Amino acid sequence: MIKNIKAFLLNFAFCFRLLYQSDKKGIIFLLLAKTVVSIWPFINMYIMKFIIDKLAFILSDTLSLDMALKEILLLLCIFALIKISLEFLQNYIMKINDLQMQSLLTYINLQIMKKSLQIDISYFDMPKNFDELNQSRQNAHSIHQMLFMTANTISSVLFFTANIVLALKINWQISLLVIIVVLPKYVFKGKLEKKNYDFEKSQLRDTRFAGYLSSLIFDKTAAKEIRLFHIGDYLIDKYITTQHKVTDEKNKYFNKRNLQEIIFNIPSAVIQILIKIYVVYRILIRENTIGDFTYITGIYENLNTSLSSLIDSAATLVGYNERINDFKKYFLLCEGTVQSGDLAVEEINKIEFRNVSFGYPDSETVLDQVSFSVNRHEKVMLVGFNGSGKTTLIKLLTRFYEPTQGTILINGIDISKYNLKQLREKIAVVFQDFNVFSFTIRENVAIGDLAQYHNETLIRSSLRFSDFNNDQYLDTGDIDLYVNRNFESSGIELSGGQKQKLAISRAVIRNSQMIILDEPTASLDPLSESEILDTFNSLYKDKTLIMVSHRLSAAVKMDKIIFMDGGKISGIGCHKDLYAKYEIYRKLFDLQAEKYN
Amino acid sequence: MNKFISQKTNIVKNLLFSMKVVLKSNPFCFIVGVMIQMINIILYYLILYFGRNLLNALNFSLNSQQSLSESILCAFIWILLIAMCSTATIFLNYYKNIIFQKQQLYFEEYINIKMAQKCMELDISYFDNPQYYDKIKRAQEGKVRLNFVVYRVVFFIANITSFLIALSIALSLSHFIFPVIILALTFPALLTRGKYYRHLFEYENSQQGIKRKISYLAGLILGKDTAKEVRFYEMEDFLSEKYQNHWNKYVSGVKKIIVKRGAIDSLFTVFPVIGIMFSIYFVVLRIGEGNANLGDFAYLFSVFSSLSNSFLSLVEDLAKMSESEAAIQNYNNFMETKPHVVYKGQLPIETIEIIEFRNVCFTYPETEKMVLNNISFKLNAKKKNAIVGINGAGKSTIIKLLLRFYDVDSGNIFINHVDIQKYDITKIRQAFSAVFQDYVIYSLSIRDNISFSDYFDKNNDARIMKALDFAEIKDEIFSRTSNLETFLSRDFTEDGIELSGGQKQKIAIARCAFKNAQVLIMDEPTASLDPEAEYSIISKLHRLHENRGLIMISHRLSNMKMMDYILVINNGKVVEEGSHNKLLNDRKQYYNMYTVQADKYQTGS
C-alpha cells in the first residue's frame, strides 16, 4: 500500500512536472478555471433545494404564494447569473484546454525525439529494442493520457474535498459507508492496468509485423517486384493471418476482463438505493424537507462518483507505474555504450586500430583482432569480400559502436577520451546507405555543415565537385528546389546516380581533414566515377581519405590498401606491394583487369 | 446558398459512403452499438420521469394522511425503478464500450485489406509519380476518418432521439410557447457553433501538408534508416527547429480561431440559459396555481436543458461530420482510381524469341523530360544482351516498359512481331525474372526472400539451395544458420540474420535466379559485389542454358565482353549497338567509357 502511494506520488510528480514545464502559465490558468467550474454542481444543487422547498411550502399552504414566488424568482435569477458566467467560462476553458493539450503533445514529442537522438545506433540492432522503442512511443501516448489524468486528478481532489465536507455535515456514518464501498475498486483497477499493459506488450511484435506487411504493399521500392512476381496476394494473406491473430487475442481479452469491471460498481449502486430510501424515510417522518431529497442524494452520488474517478486516476497512475517507468527509462536513457570524453580534438594526425574486435549485440564476431594505422594525408582503400567487415570498421571509426576488444587511437590517445561531437566534426562520411532527405537541394547539402547554410557559392561548388545534375544546372539552377515531390510539386526527381552525387556533395561541404566514403561510386556510370575519383585525388592532397570500394582500379593511386577477409586484415600495403606479394589480391585485381584486356 | 447546399449534399454523400464501408466491415457491432446508444437515451428520460413521480409521491404523502409504511412502499417502487434503469445503463455502457472497441478492430482490418487489394491493382506509375504516391498516402491517412464519421452518425441518431423525446415531453407538460422560446434562443448559438467548427475544420484541412511534414520529420529522427546520418551530422537542432517551426505555424492558426471564434461561440451558449430560466419560472407559477405538481419542476428543468443541449449537439455533430470530409474524399479518390495500363490482351505466349522497340517515345506521367525519344532496336531474347549508358540515359525505363509497368506514349513494342499489348500481361511477366536496381530485402524468412519470384514452388528446398549457390551466398548463409525459415533481418526475430550491402545484392540475384524464367533482366546486379563474386556470377550468367536469355544493365564494361549484343543508350536513344569488339573498333562513346575504366587497371598490373 505504502509502495503504491509512493509510486502514485512519484508518477504524479513526474507527470505534473512535465505538464508544468510545457506551459507554466497555461497550467495555472487551467487549474484555477477548473476549480471555479467544479463549484458549480454544489451551487446548482443548493439553489434547487431551496426552490423545491419553497414550492413544497406553497403546495402545503405554509407560505404565501406571492412571497414564495418572489423568492423563487430571485433564486432563479441568481441561478441564471451564475450559470451564465460559468457556462461561458467552462465552454471557453474546454477549448483552451484542447489547445494546451496540443502544445503539450508537441512538447513531449520533441523531448522524446531529442532524447532518442542520444540513443546509440546499436539500440536499433535488436528486435527487442525495436519493440521497446515502439512501446515507448505508445507509452508517450499514455503519458499524454496520464497528463490529462493528472490535471483531472487535481480537479477531482478539489471536487471530492468539497463533497466530503458537505457529506460529513449531513451524516458521517453514511459518508463513511459510501467511501468504504468504493475502495475495493482501487485494488482491482490497479491490477487491471498492469494486466492491460502486459497484454499490450505481448502483442507488440505481431502488431508491428502486421504493420510491416501492410506497409510493404504500399512500398514504393517493393512495388515492381511485387507486381512482376505476383506476391501481392501472398503478402495480403500473410497480413490477414497476422492481423487476425492480433484481433482475436484482443477480442478474447476484452470479453474476459469486461464483466469484472461491472461487478465492482454494484456495491455502490446498492448503497445509493439505500441512501435514497433512507432520505425518503427521513422526509416522510419530517426530519428533512422535500427539497433535501435531490440535495442529499445528489451529494452522496457526487461523493461516490468523485471518489470513484479519483480512485480511477490514482489506480491508473499506480497501474501505469510500469508504463511510466518504461517511459522514464527511455526518456532518461543516457548515451548508452558510446561515451563521449572531454578531450578536445585539434587535428587528426594518426588513426590506429590496435587489436580491435567487434560483434554486433547478440551476434557473431564481425571484426577479429584488426590492427592498422592511417597517417595524415594518406589515401586508404578498404577492399575485400562481401561481408568481411569493411562497413563495420567505418561504423567503429565514426563511433557508432564501441569495440568489444582492443582500442582505437587517435594521435596515440584512446578515441573514447575525445569529445564525440568535436571528433565527428573533423570527419565527413558518405555512408553506403545514405539518405536523401525530402528537403531542398540547399538543405540536403548544407546538412554536412549547417553553418554554411547561406553560403550559396560553397554549396554550388560542392555540387560541382560531385558533378551533380549536369553543369548547366549548377550555375543558374535554383538550389532551393526540393529533391523530390513528396511535399512540393515543384520538386525535382533524382535518379540513383544523382542521389549518390548529392550525398558526396554533403560530405564535401564539410571541408574536414578526413573523408570516409563507403562505396561512393557503386551507382555511377564510368565517366562520372572516373571524374569524381580524380577530383578527390587532386583536391584532397592534404586530406586523409578512407574509401571502401570493390573497383580495384581505384586502388592503383591509393597510398595504402587494406584487404579484409572474414573480419581480419589479410593484407596491407600499397598497390604495388600487395600486387606483388599477396596472391588473393593479385587474383582479384587481375580478375577485373583481365576483362578489360 | 448554393455553396451551402452543395456542402450539405457532400456531407450526406460522404456519410452514406462511410456507412456503407462500416456496415460491410461488421454490421453486427455497428447496429448493436446504435441500439445501445438509443436505449441509453430512453433510460435517461425514464430516470427523470421516475424521479418526478417520486417527488410527487413524497409531496402527496406529506400533505395527506397516508400511513408511513404505505408512503415508503409507494416511494420505494419509484426508487427501485430508478435503480433498475441506472443499473441497466451501467451494464449497457460497458457492453457498448466493448462493442465499439471490437467494431474498431474489425473496421481497421477490413479497410487495410480493402486498400491493399486496391493497391495491388494499380500500376507502378502510381509509385513512381509523387502525386499519385501522395494520393495513396493521403488515402491511408483518410481511412481512419471513415470510422470517425460513423461514430458521429451514432451520436447524431442518439441526439435526434433525445431531442424528440425532450420536445414531446416539453410540449405535453407545458405550453408550446416555452420550447419554442428555448429553441429560438438556442438558435444563435447554433449558427455560431456551426461557424466555429467550419472555421476550425477548414483550417485543419488546409494544414494537411504541414502535418505530413511534421510526421516526416518525426520519422527522420526516430527512424532506423536515418539513424547514422542524423547522428553523425548532428542534425538534431536543425530537425527539431524545423519541427517546432511547422508546429508553431500550425498551432498559431488554431489559436487564432479558438481565441476569437471560440469566444463568440461561448458567448452565445449563454442565451439558452435565459430561455430555460424564463420557462421554468412559468412552471413554478403553474405549480403555485396548483396546475402542476412538485416533481414537474425538476423534471421539466432537466427536460428543458436537454432540449436545448440536444438541439445544439445536432449541429455540432453535423459540423463534425464535415470535419472528415477531405479525408474521406482522399480515400474515395484512391478507391476509384483505375490503372493506366490496359490489361486487355488475351494472347498467350509460349517462347519469347525477339523483342523489338519501334519508334518508342516515353515520358513519365506529369513530368516534362522525354526519357525515351523515338528509340528503336531489336534484341534476340535467347541471347545475352546488355544495355549501357551514362546515369539517367533511360536504361531502366526500357525495362519498365518491357515488363509493362508503363505503356508507351507512341511507337510499339513487339514480342515475336506481335504488339506487346495484345498479350496477356500475366503471361508476359511470367516469362521474365528480374533484379531491379532498387531491390528489396524483405524482413521475412530466407525461404520467402528467395522463392518470392516463383512462390508456388516455395517448398522446393533443392531449388532454393541452387539459387543461393548461383548467387554465391550459400556458404555465407549456412555458416550462420541451418534453417531456411530464419529471417533476413532482426527487426522481428532475435535469431534473424543482418546482411551487408553486397550480401543483400546476392540475395536479390538468388531470388531472380530461383524463377525458371525464359529471360532474366538484371539492372546493375553487381554494383556492390566484391570482384570474385562479380566474376563468378557474371560467368554463370553467361553459361546459362542456351535457351535462356539475358538483358543486363551495367556500368562495369568489363562484363560486356561475354555479351552477345550491346546497346549504348544516350538521351533516350540508341547511339551505338553491336558486339563488344565492334563497338570498341568504332571508337565512339562505348570505347571512351571502356578505356576510362580499363586504363586504371593498366597502370596497376
Side-chain angles (χ1 to χ4, degrees):
Chain A
M1 190 66 192
I2 291 168
K3 214 177 93 194
N4 279 351
I5 292 172
K6 204 179 145 198
F8 167 74
L9 289 176
L10 277 175
N11 291 337
F12 183 82
F14 175 73
C15 291
F16 188 77
R17 207 165 42 238
L18 270 180
L19 264 178
Y20 188 68
Q21 277 166 356
S22 75
D23 184 3
K24 295 187 181 87
K25 263 192 276 174
I27 293 307
I28 292 168
F29 165 76
L30 197 69
L31 284 180
L32 279 176
K34 280 206 165 178
T35 317
V36 175
V37 172
S38 70
I39 305 168
W40 170 242
F42 300 106
I43 302 174
N44 184 5
M45 286 189 303
Y46 207 63
I47 295 179
M48 289 297 257
K49 167 188 148 62
F50 272 111
I51 295 176
I52 290 176
D53 277 346
K54 288 280 176 314
L55 282 172
F57 287 146
I58 296 172
L59 289 175
S60 57
D61 294 329
T62 40
L63 200 67
S64 89
L65 186 63
D66 275 358
M67 269 284 280
L69 283 181
K70 256 181 211 154
E71 280 176 39
I72 290 175
L73 188 62
L74 186 69
L75 283 169
L76 279 176
C77 285
I78 297 171
F79 188 89
L81 265 177
I82 300 173
K83 182 156 166 78
I84 283 170
S85 44
L86 283 178
E87 184 90 355
F88 173 75
L89 199 61
Q90 188 171 15
N91 201 301
Y92 202 46
I93 287 168
M94 265 165 55
K95 292 185 177 115
I96 299 281
N97 194 6
D98 285 350
L99 192 65
Q100 276 177 342
M101 283 304 163
Q102 287 207 321
S103 350
L104 176 68
L105 228 103
T106 338
Y107 174 78
I108 295 189
N109 286 342
L110 213 56
Q111 296 304 315
I112 293 173
M113 289 193 285
K114 283 190 174 167
K115 212 73 214 176
S116 75
L117 283 182
Q118 292 169 9
I119 295 170
D120 288 342
I121 296 281
S122 57
Y123 193 81
F124 292 99
D125 290 339
M126 290 299 301
K128 190 170 79 44
N129 292 343
F130 243 120
D131 291 340
E132 243 171 55
L133 190 73
N134 254 23
Q135 181 64 55
S136 290
R137 282 195 225 171
Q138 275 179 21
N139 281 348
H141 179 70
S142 0
I143 293 291
H144 298 150
Q145 287 182 329
M146 295 288 317
L147 293 171
F148 277 105
M149 220 174 277
T150 309
N152 284 341
T153 311
I154 296 170
S155 57
S156 352
V157 168
L158 291 170
F159 191 46
F160 176 69
T161 324
N163 262 313
I164 192 82
V165 170
L166 290 174
L168 283 174
K169 251 174 77 184
I170 297 167
N171 187 323
W172 68 270
Q173 288 103 328
I174 296 180
S175 312
L176 208 64
L177 197 64
V178 171
I179 293 171
I180 288 171
V181 164
V182 185
L183 287 177
K185 209 176 148 190
Y186 171 79
V187 182
F188 165 73
K189 264 280 178 186
K191 275 191 189 144
L192 183 75
E193 277 311 327
K194 200 182 163 326
K195 252 205 217 144
N196 281 350
Y197 188 44
D198 289 343
F199 177 70
E200 229 174 76
K201 271 184 160 173
S202 75
Q203 285 207 312
L204 268 183
R205 195 162 296 180
D206 281 336
T207 312
R208 209 155 52 81
F209 191 52
Y212 169 73
L213 289 169
S214 80
S215 74
L216 260 185
I217 294 165
F218 297 97
D219 189 80
K220 221 173 180 166
T221 336
K224 287 194 291 291
E225 284 177 12
I226 288 176
R227 275 158 189 74
L228 176 67
F229 298 138
H230 277 285
I231 48 180
D233 293 337
Y234 178 79
L235 291 175
I236 291 176
D237 279 350
K238 218 177 168 74
Y239 165 76
I240 293 175
T241 330
T242 318
Q243 187 63 49
H244 265 344
K245 196 179 148 214
V246 172
T247 308
D248 283 352
E249 279 172 8
K250 267 200 183 130
N251 276 341
K252 256 185 221 144
Y253 184 72
F254 288 153
N255 289 341
K256 208 171 64 192
R257 76 153 212 235
N258 192 57
L259 222 62
Q260 301 170 322
E261 258 181 285
I262 302 177
I263 290 165
F264 278 88
N265 282 316
I266 289 177
S268 296
V270 173
I271 291 287
Q272 291 301 328
I273 296 171
L274 292 178
I275 290 172
K276 281 199 180 87
I277 295 173
Y278 175 70
V279 177
V280 163
Y281 171 73
R282 300 243 321 161
I283 292 171
L284 288 175
I285 60 168
R286 294 179 197 274
E287 288 283 327
N288 281 100
T289 61
I290 198 159
D292 283 338
F293 181 76
T294 31
Y295 179 64
I296 294 175
T297 52
I299 290 217
Y300 284 119
E301 228 157 76
N302 282 344
L303 184 66
N304 176 44
T305 45
S306 67
L307 183 63
S308 189
S309 76
L310 193 61
I311 279 178
D312 269 355
S313 35
T316 316
L317 268 170
V318 175
Y320 267 32
N321 198 23
E322 208 180 329
R323 221 179 270 251
I324 294 185
N325 282 340
D326 279 359
F327 179 76
K328 272 193 204 160
K329 204 169 77 193
Y330 180 74
F331 199 70
L332 306 172
L333 207 63
C334 61
E335 292 203 20
T337 52
V338 177
Q339 296 295 329
S340 171
D342 15 81
L343 215 58
V345 191
E346 290 301 325
E347 306 212 297
I348 301 178
N349 291 319
K350 190 181 182 188
I351 296 166
E352 190 185 350
F353 274 57
R354 201 178 283 168
N355 302 321
V356 171
S357 295
F358 178 75
Y360 288 101
D362 290 345
S363 192
E364 64 270 42
T365 312
V366 183
L367 288 181
D368 186 10
Q369 299 277 332
V370 170
S371 298
F372 68 90
S373 64
V374 175
N375 290 316
R376 197 169 168 180
H377 310 330
E378 268 186 326
K379 309 280 177 283
V380 179
M381 188 154 139
L382 285 171
V383 298
F385 300 107
N386 291 126
S388 57
K390 304 181 293 293
T391 300
T392 304
L393 199 144
I394 281 170
K395 284 192 199 160
L396 287 182
L397 185 56
T398 44
R399 300 221 56 218
F400 286 120
Y401 296 94
E402 208 74 84
T404 27
Q405 262 176 43
T407 36
I408 303 171
L409 306 166
I410 286 187
N411 304 342
I413 298 171
D414 189 328
I415 196 168
S416 62
K417 297 228 165 67
Y418 289 103
N419 181 291
L420 184 65
K421 200 177 152 184
Q422 283 187 11
L423 180 72
R424 283 185 178 164
E425 273 166 12
K426 301 281 174 204
I427 308 172
V429 190
V430 178
F431 293 104
Q432 192 176 16
D433 49 352
F434 62 88
N435 285 281
V436 167
F437 299 95
S438 301
F439 301 147
T440 59
I441 299 175
R442 180 202 294 272
E443 285 171 313
N444 265 295
V445 176
I447 280 166
D449 184 3
L450 282 165
Q452 306 299 335
Y453 185 87
H454 296 288
N455 189 344
E456 202 165 320
T457 332
L458 189 63
I459 290 174
R460 282 187 195 280
S461 74
S462 306
L463 286 168
R464 194 168 295 118
F465 186 105
S466 69
D467 194 27
F468 173 77
N469 212 14
N470 304 332
D471 290 328
Q472 81 265 9
Y473 185 78
L474 293 171
D475 298 323
T476 52
D478 184 2
I479 58 169
D480 288 314
L481 281 179
Y482 275 73
V483 295
N484 58 39
R485 293 195 281 181
N486 286 350
F487 298 114
E488 300 292 332
S489 53
S490 63
I492 49 172
E493 288 283 323
L494 302 179
S495 74
Q498 284 166 338
K499 285 180 187 162
Q500 201 156 41
K501 290 174 180 176
L502 196 61
I504 293 173
S505 302
R506 183 183 301 158
V508 165
I509 199 175
R510 200 159 243 223
N511 196 21
S512 55
Q513 286 181 332
M514 189 163 123
I515 189 158
I516 299 174
L517 308 166
D518 195 349
E519 295 198 42
T521 59
S523 323
L524 298 187
D525 62 68
L527 298 177
S528 303
E529 177 180 21
S530 144
E531 249 167 63
I532 289 180
L533 288 182
D534 286 349
T535 324
F536 267 120
N537 276 325
S538 60
L539 291 182
Y540 274 54
K541 282 218 162 61
D542 58 338
K543 290 184 179 173
T544 316
L545 173 77
I546 298 178
M547 182 167 89
V548 177
S549 179
H550 292 304
R551 308 294 141 225
L552 298 182
S553 54
V556 180
K557 286 183 183 162
M558 293 284 174
D559 299 318
K560 192 182 271 175
I561 316 294
I562 298 174
F563 193 98
M564 303 208 44
D565 189 358
K568 288 187 179 146
I569 292 183
S570 59
I572 191 162
C574 70
H575 170 73
K576 254 196 183 130
D577 288 352
L578 268 189
Y579 190 79
K581 290 178 197 149
Y582 186 44
E583 196 191 333
I584 299 179
Y585 178 77
R586 185 169 59 240
K587 197 182 120 202
L588 287 183
F589 188 90
D590 287 344
L591 213 55
Q592 284 193 337
E594 258 170 34
K595 293 192 282 180
Y596 287 99
N597 285 329
Chain B
M1 197 62 202
N2 274 340
K3 195 186 152 202
F4 180 80
I5 289 170
S6 75
Q7 213 173 21
K8 292 288 166 281
T9 41
N10 256 343
I11 293 176
V12 173
K13 236 171 63 191
N14 282 332
L15 211 67
L16 290 177
F17 176 74
S18 312
M19 284 283 250
K20 226 170 67 191
V21 177
V22 169
L23 278 174
K24 263 190 207 154
S25 75
N26 193 311
F28 173 78
C29 287
F30 176 72
I31 291 166
V32 171
V34 173
M35 272 164 56
I36 290 178
Q37 197 85 356
M38 305 258 279
I39 295 172
N40 272 346
I41 298 276
I42 294 168
L43 286 174
Y44 168 77
Y45 284 102
L46 278 178
I47 291 172
L48 286 182
Y49 178 70
F50 295 143
R52 161 193 181 250
N53 288 353
L54 176 63
L55 273 191
N56 284 347
L58 280 179
N59 194 36
F60 177 76
S61 304
L62 285 174
N63 293 321
S64 69
Q65 295 310 312
Q66 228 174 10
S67 78
L68 187 62
S69 59
E70 217 176 322
S71 305
I72 289 182
L73 189 72
C74 186
F76 180 71
I77 291 168
W78 297 119
I79 293 176
L80 198 68
L81 284 171
I82 293 173
M84 275 164 59
C85 289
S86 43
T87 316
T89 312
I90 293 176
F91 273 88
L92 284 175
N93 270 335
Y94 276 110
Y95 195 55
K96 185 185 78 185
N97 284 345
I98 304 182
I99 283 279
F100 279 142
Q101 267 170 327
K102 282 189 184 172
Q103 193 270 337
Q104 193 111 21
L105 284 175
Y106 288 127
F107 173 78
E108 264 167 42
E109 198 178 304
Y110 173 82
I111 201 136
N112 279 340
I113 294 169
K114 270 276 162 267
M115 276 194 70
Q117 281 166 345
K118 182 74 204 176
C119 182
M120 293 314 304
E121 285 175 22
L122 297 179
D123 300 327
I124 291 292
S125 58
Y126 282 88
F127 295 86
D128 279 350
N129 186 307
Q131 267 156 4
Y132 288 128
Y133 196 54
D134 207 42
K135 212 168 164 180
I136 296 177
K137 283 202 227 151
R138 279 173 195 265
Q140 274 183 313
E141 286 155 15
K143 70 187 181 193
V144 207
R145 286 285 174 175
L146 291 157
N147 220 17
F148 282 13
V149 173
V150 173
Y151 275 81
R152 281 289 144 212
V153 175
V154 177
F155 295 142
F156 186 70
I157 296 173
N159 271 325
I160 286 188
T161 322
S162 177
F163 176 75
L164 290 178
I165 296 176
L167 190 65
S168 51
I169 296 174
L171 284 175
S172 68
L173 285 183
S174 70
H175 195 273
F176 81 92
I177 194 77
F178 297 118
V180 170
I181 288 174
I182 291 170
L183 292 180
L185 281 168
T186 312
F187 200 70
L190 217 70
L191 293 179
T192 51
R193 177 136 322 169
K195 213 168 181 176
Y196 169 69
Y197 278 114
R198 212 168 52 240
H199 275 280
L200 213 55
F201 300 149
E202 265 169 22
Y203 180 73
E204 288 286 335
N205 280 336
S206 70
Q207 296 299 301
Q208 293 302 326
I210 282 204
K211 283 189 171 171
R212 281 201 311 125
K213 276 186 194 169
I214 289 173
S215 73
Y216 172 72
L217 287 167
L220 283 187
I221 297 176
L222 297 167
K224 182 187 182 188
D225 297 337
T226 46
K228 282 203 296 291
E229 272 162 311
V230 166
R231 279 165 184 71
F232 189 84
Y233 285 114
E234 304 247 325
M235 289 163 68
E236 175 184 330
D237 291 338
F238 175 72
L239 292 176
S240 51
E241 206 176 290
K242 248 178 183 305
Y243 182 91
Q244 189 109 53
N245 283 344
H246 285 316
W247 187 266
N248 288 346
K249 207 171 134 199
Y250 162 70
V251 163
S252 71
V254 181
K255 210 172 190 164
K256 243 195 233 153
I257 294 172
I258 287 184
V259 169
K260 206 178 119 207
R261 300 270 164 201
I264 295 173
D265 173 49
S266 305
L267 200 64
F268 277 91
T269 49
V270 304
F271 286 113
V273 178
I274 298 169
I276 294 168
M277 290 306 157
F278 178 75
S279 309
I280 207 68
Y281 185 65
F282 280 90
V283 175
V284 170
L285 284 182
R286 272 167 58 98
I287 296 174
E289 287 161 6
N291 289 334
N293 215 327
L294 185 60
D296 291 341
F297 172 75
Y299 185 49
L300 278 172
F301 193 89
S302 304
V303 168
F304 285 153
S305 306
S306 306
L307 184 66
S308 160
N309 286 341
S310 56
F311 192 39
L312 200 54
S313 304
L314 286 181
V315 177
E316 209 171 307
D317 289 331
L318 275 178
K320 283 185 176 163
M321 281 176 208
S322 67
E323 174 187 11
S324 316
E325 201 182 312
I328 294 170
Q329 204 56 50
N330 287 339
Y331 176 81
N332 214 345
N333 284 346
F334 172 71
M335 292 308 276
E336 278 170 5
T337 35
K338 296 266 179 304
H340 299 300
V341 176
V342 186
Y343 293 84
K344 261 200 315 222
Q346 299 281 321
L347 228 55
I349 186 154
E350 293 297 321
T351 49
I352 297 185
E353 313 262 351
I354 290 192
I355 296 167
E356 185 186 355
F357 275 54
R358 197 182 291 164
N359 304 325
V360 169
C361 293
F362 182 72
T363 306
Y364 283 100
E366 292 180 47
T367 60
E368 277 155 29
K369 195 186 165 204
M370 197 184 248
V371 184
L372 294 181
N373 186 0
N374 213 12
I375 194 170
S376 299
F377 60 83
K378 251 187 208 176
L379 295 178
N380 182 337
K382 294 189 169 178
K383 293 261 165 102
K384 313 290 179 263
N385 303 288
I387 306 176
V388 300
I390 62 167
N391 291 126
K395 305 181 294 289
S396 301
T397 308
I398 292 176
I399 285 172
K400 286 184 195 164
L401 290 180
L402 182 59
L403 294 173
R404 290 208 66 205
F405 291 142
Y406 292 91
D407 273 337
V408 296
D409 293 341
S410 65
N412 301 87
I413 301 172
F414 297 103
I415 288 183
N416 304 346
H417 309 294
V418 177
D419 191 309
I420 195 169
Q421 299 193 14
K422 298 215 169 95
Y423 290 107
D424 180 349
I425 196 164
T426 52
K427 290 276 165 5
I428 291 281
R429 287 185 183 166
Q430 265 167 22
F432 291 98
S433 188
V435 185
F436 296 105
Q437 196 176 5
D438 47 355
Y439 53 84
V440 179
I441 300 302
Y442 301 89
S443 294
L444 297 168
S445 66
I446 299 172
R447 182 187 301 284
D448 281 343
N449 265 291
I450 303 301
S451 67
F452 265 171
S453 55
D454 187 11
Y455 75 84
F456 289 108
D457 207 15
K458 65 181 283 192
N459 292 323
N460 190 336
D461 286 10
R463 258 183 82 194
I464 292 177
M465 294 300 179
K466 221 177 108 192
L468 287 170
D469 195 40
F470 183 90
E472 299 282 320
I473 190 154
K474 192 170 143 195
D475 296 343
E476 286 165 65
I477 291 280
F478 285 98
S479 69
R480 291 162 77 178
T481 180
S482 54
N483 192 346
L484 285 175
E485 309 312 325
T486 307
F487 270 44
L488 285 183
S489 95
R490 298 211 296 183
D491 287 358
F492 301 109
T493 53
E494 264 78 11
D495 63 351
I497 300 177
E498 287 283 348
L499 300 174
S500 78
Q503 288 167 337
K504 283 180 185 165
Q505 195 157 38
K506 288 178 180 176
I507 291 290
I509 293 171
R511 183 184 305 150
C512 174
F514 180 80
K515 184 173 177 179
N516 231 330
Q518 292 182 42
V519 183
L520 301 187
I521 293 175
M522 304 199 134
D523 195 349
E524 294 195 43
T526 60
S528 319
L529 296 189
D530 63 62
E532 196 179 58
E534 179 178 12
Y535 179 80
S536 119
I537 288 174
I538 293 288
S539 312
K540 281 183 205 166
L541 281 174
H542 184 60
R543 289 196 306 267
L544 272 179
H545 189 272
E546 281 284 298
N547 282 329
R548 290 175 80 185
L550 173 71
I551 300 175
M552 184 167 90
I553 294 177
S554 179
H555 290 308
R556 310 289 144 226
L557 300 188
S558 51
N559 297 333
M560 294 303 137
K561 256 201 240 167
M562 38 180 119
M563 294 296 162
D564 300 317
Y565 199 75
I566 299 161
L567 292 175
V568 184
I569 310 281
N570 199 2
N571 277 329
K573 278 189 165 132
V574 176
V575 289
E576 290 176 76
E577 55 188 312
S579 69
H580 175 73
N581 287 334
K582 172 186 177 288
L583 293 180
L584 278 188
N585 289 333
D586 286 351
R587 306 219 156 212
K588 290 202 279 201
Q589 191 182 352
Y590 183 83
Y591 173 80
N592 289 338
M593 290 201 283
Y594 183 82
T595 39
V596 162
Q597 285 188 337
D599 280 350
K600 299 221 154 108
Y601 289 98
Q602 307 313 327
T603 42
S605 47

